[in-house]
Amino acid sequence: MTLTPAGSGALRPVVIGVDVGGTKVMAAEVAIDGTVTRVARRATPGRRVDVALLEDALSEAVLEVADGRRVAGVGLAAAGFVDAAGERVAFAPHLPWRGHQVRARLTDRWGVPVFLDNDANCAARAESAHGSALGAADALVLTLGTGIGGALVVGGALHRGRNGMAGEFGHTRVVPDGRDCECGGHGCWEQYCSGNALVRAARAAMAADGPLASACAGDPAAVTGPMVTDAAHAGDPAALAAYAEIGEWLGIGAANLVACFDPSVVVVGGGVSAAGDLLLEPARAALGRSLVGAPHRVVPPLLRARYGPEAGVVGAADLVREGLGRHARPRA
Amino acid sequence: MTLTPAGSGALRPVVIGVDVGGTKVMAAEVAIDGTVTRVARRATPGRRVDVALLEDALSEAVLEVADGRRVAGVGLAAAGFVDAAGERVAFAPHLPWRGHQVRARLTDRWGVPVFLDNDANCAARAESAHGSALGAADALVLTLGTGIGGALVVGGALHRGRNGMAGEFGHTRVVPDGRDCECGGHGCWEQYCSGNALVRAARAAMAADGPLASACAGDPAAVTGPMVTDAAHAGDPAALAAYAEIGEWLGIGAANLVACFDPSVVVVGGGVSAAGDLLLEPARAALGRSLVGAPHRVVPPLLRARYGPEAGVVGAADLVREGLGRHARPRA
């Protein structure tokens, strides 16, 4: 037992959220209002290592945040497929877990309650409890990073599905015989609307000079997402065109999802959303144009997420509070 | 007051479901196990007439079914957009209601409790309570007729959404710049996967002779859905190819929806589903091929609906029982 559990006499024990990403681990103390008050980071040891190495890194980060204080519980937001019961990581492309009983393993190791969900669901929990989806019974939360993370809130609760795999919006097919996708499919939405798609579009449109060409020293292969964002803010036409293209696809895909779910709000987070209205304005226009029955309905607002990189830890901490029943919300 | 309400002394009052379709009205007494025990039909007076004409037709059918007995309530399954509260028909392409307070109007007229939802949601209620989705907490129910009706069951309850417009799966865009749709969009799923799409495909592929050519006397414009179904059962190559094409699109679209919701089951009803495995086998194959993460998940079964044309009246009757609280199910 390496953490001090919250005993009956404990005054405000710490709730810790951990984001277990493909490149880094971030652990944080999160207050009940969704504020991050202390953070520790470690590099993710890689996906081909022994799971003990990854779990050691998690333990280091969690112990650093706990700092000897009593801990109510730890929530994990994992970049991978988590089963419907929240016990197991079935598969994670960038992590060594392959069907491991992660919840039981870390509960044993830490001696405090541990809860587990995937990162996109945790981000949605954070936005729903404290962020841009606050007060919406039904919400769609999209996380635009390398690909598209997605989650669906129904009646105030995360909808996880039969396999815990609901929300894989990025792998809906939007173009027959379209671009190859890492999932093995073709024409998946995230091949047209994601950080990767943004960089691809900017590379294809880059001029011989201008802010983007300067940033990458004229080498299209060197272009990164943040370069495109900076160049777009500096007025670079190729970067602006790339955001317009990605934004258009965001709106078209959002129209598909809104036709299916009819949510009160669509929240967009992740690295790509840092561009704000450069992304969201073309998306809103495309949503309004593409959504079935738009004149007969309230078209949901398309809002930027409150949380950036800390979405996972905040949602993971909410998972602890939900799991411990302190803030469990009835499903209406 | 034209119906006899269920008084406190009433023994098993009648529950009546009414399907208000674009061409006909069907009222039925429905037993608690989902069995239809008495039916009355009327023609739908059309969409340009006074609403009183439509409501007269409904009253005639309901009175015929009630036959002087006490009535617990009447449920209406309407072919149109019903608001989230189940009070109003916002818009219905084939009916004269345009924002009318249908529930209040008919409650006043009949003097018994009246409940209202759209036809696709009622079909899903019927399948969920008594049919192929029985016991599934999360289910997708598709009704393939002229277009695609859709509904989503989450945690055992219909998910209706902010505007009551959830489940418009048929108007998700599956082909950029694709076929024109009546909704004003392009490339909508129902343009590729519906009764209309089936007839279109069969017309395009029809040979100069064979069962389909005989059925339509050689005139492609005369081909109807039932002709294609009969011809497919008789081994007509064009009819079989049409079912294979529609089935493939059914599986691809189902894969998109399953990626989003991760339901336990996908149920397919409506006139087109009468072809059974001619439609469902190619759909199952395409679903298995197209669904993201298929090796890491339980792929939901794609099942034919229990109910045919009576799905609406059965679900409308369930709406009454649900509304009266006699069989309200907790949301988990």
Side-chain angles (χ1 to χ4, degrees):
Chain A
M1 186 172 84
T2 56
L3 295 174
T4 310
S8 59
L11 184 65
R12 297 182 61 188
V14 180
V15 173
I16 297 178
V18 186
D19 188 82
V20 191
T23 57
K24 62 177 196 304
V25 168
M26 177 179 175
E29 175 185 357
V30 183
I32 195 167
D33 66 354
T35 310
V36 172
T37 51
R38 192 186 295 213
V39 171
R41 293 185 177 84
R42 292 294 183 281
T44 302
R47 70 191 177 98
R48 298 186 186 282
V49 302
D50 191 277
V51 293
L53 279 182
L54 173 62
E55 293 172 4
D56 287 349
L58 297 182
S59 289
E60 284 179 29
V62 166
L63 280 170
E64 183 180 325
V65 169
D67 197 18
R69 295 171 298 167
R70 290 167 185 273
V71 174
V74 180
L76 299 175
F81 291 128
V82 174
D83 70 346
E87 300 285 348
R88 220 164 48 85
V89 175
F91 177 75
H94 306 294
L95 302 173
W97 287 321
R98 291 287 177 280
H100 290 82
Q101 296 282 348
V102 171
R103 185 178 171 189
R105 290 170 66 89
L106 296 176
T107 300
D108 283 353
R109 179 160 182 165
W110 295 336
V112 301
V114 174
F115 300 93
L116 175 68
D117 203 346
N118 79 57
D119 47 4
N121 282 350
C122 287
R125 248 182 211 97
E127 294 300 329
S128 192
H130 321 285
S132 299
L134 181 64
D138 303 327
L140 274 170
V141 181
L142 305 174
T143 305
L144 267 60
T146 309
I148 300 178
L152 178 60
V153 175
V154 177
L158 250 293
H159 172 64
R160 307 195 69 253
R162 164 73 176 81
N163 301 278
M165 287 169 75
E168 288 289 334
F169 308 135
H171 299 287
T172 56
R173 195 183 89 170
V174 296
V175 180
D177 302 314
R179 295 176 185 162
D180 290 351
C181 185
E182 288 82 1
C183 76
H186 308 276
C188 291
W189 186 30
E190 71 176 37
Q191 294 303 321
Y192 300 85
C193 178
S194 63
N196 281 351
L198 178 75
V199 168
R200 174 203 290 249
R203 283 175 179 163
M206 195 175 85
D209 51 18
L212 186 57
S214 300
C216 69
D219 178 10
V223 169
T224 64
M227 279 182 201
V228 181
T229 308
D230 291 347
H233 281 124
D236 184 281
L240 289 169
Y243 266 109
E245 181 182 328
I246 303 309
E248 166 96 9
W249 273 110
L250 175 57
I252 290 167
N256 282 351
L257 297 175
V258 172
C260 293
F261 302 116
D262 192 9
S264 301
V265 65
V266 180
V267 175
V268 182
V272 181
S273 73
D277 284 345
L278 288 177
L279 174 75
L280 298 181
E281 278 305 318
R284 288 175 186 130
L287 171 62
R289 257 196 327 271
S290 311
L291 179 60
V292 62
H296 302 290
R297 69 196 297 160
V298 180
V299 177
L302 194 69
L303 302 180
R304 184 173 166 186
R306 168 179 169 185
Y307 293 104
E310 70 282 20
V313 297
V314 173
D318 288 332
L319 186 59
V320 175
R321 295 192 166 96
E322 198 180 298
L324 294 176
R326 295 182 185 178
H327 292 267
R329 285 182 293 174
R331 289 193 67 174
Chain B
M1 188 172 82
T2 57
L3 295 174
T4 311
S8 58
L11 184 65
R12 297 182 60 189
V14 180
V15 173
I16 297 177
V18 187
D19 189 80
V20 191
T23 56
K24 64 178 193 305
V25 168
M26 176 180 175
E29 175 183 359
V30 184
I32 195 167
D33 65 354
T35 310
V36 172
T37 51
R38 192 186 296 211
V39 171
R41 293 185 177 83
R42 293 293 182 281
T44 302
R47 69 190 177 97
R48 298 188 186 282
V49 302
D50 192 278
V51 293
L53 279 183
L54 173 62
E55 294 170 4
D56 287 348
L58 297 182
S59 289
E60 283 178 27
V62 167
L63 280 170
E64 182 180 326
V65 169
D67 195 20
R69 296 171 299 167
R70 290 168 184 271
V71 174
V74 180
L76 301 174
F81 292 128
V82 174
D83 69 347
E87 300 284 348
R88 220 163 47 86
V89 175
F91 177 76
H94 306 292
L95 301 174
W97 287 320
R98 292 286 177 279
H100 290 82
Q101 296 283 346
V102 171
R103 185 178 171 188
R105 290 169 67 88
L106 296 176
T107 300
D108 283 354
R109 180 160 181 166
W110 294 336
V112 300
V114 174
F115 301 93
L116 175 68
D117 203 346
N118 77 58
D119 47 3
N121 283 350
C122 287
R125 248 182 210 97
E127 295 299 329
S128 193
H130 320 286
S132 300
L134 180 64
D138 302 327
L140 274 169
V141 181
L142 305 174
T143 305
L144 268 60
T146 310
I148 299 179
L152 178 60
V153 175
V154 177
L158 251 291
H159 172 64
R160 308 196 68 254
R162 165 72 175 83
N163 300 280
M165 286 170 75
E168 288 289 336
F169 308 135
H171 299 287
T172 56
R173 196 184 87 170
V174 295
V175 179
D177 301 316
R179 294 176 186 161
D180 290 353
C181 186
E182 287 81 2
C183 76
H186 308 276
C188 291
W189 186 30
E190 71 174 38
Q191 294 304 320
Y192 300 86
C193 179
S194 63
N196 281 352
L198 178 76
V199 168
R200 174 202 292 248
R203 283 175 180 164
M206 195 175 86
D209 50 20
L212 187 57
S214 301
C216 69
D219 178 12
V223 170
T224 64
M227 280 182 202
V228 180
T229 308
D230 291 346
H233 280 123
D236 185 281
L240 289 168
Y243 265 109
E245 180 182 328
I246 302 311
E248 166 96 11
W249 273 110
L250 175 58
I252 290 167
N256 281 351
L257 298 176
V258 172
C260 293
F261 302 117
D262 192 10
S264 301
V265 64
V266 179
V267 175
V268 182
V272 181
S273 73
D277 284 347
L278 287 178
L279 174 76
L280 296 181
E281 278 306 317
R284 288 175 187 128
L287 171 62
R289 258 195 327 271
S290 311
L291 179 60
V292 64
H296 302 290
R297 69 196 298 161
V298 179
V299 178
L302 195 68
L303 303 180
R304 184 173 166 186
R306 167 179 170 184
Y307 293 104
E310 70 282 23
V313 296
V314 173
D318 288 333
L319 186 60
V320 174
R321 296 193 165 94
E322 197 181 300
L324 294 175
R326 294 182 187 178
H327 292 266
R329 286 182 294 175
R331 288 196 64 174

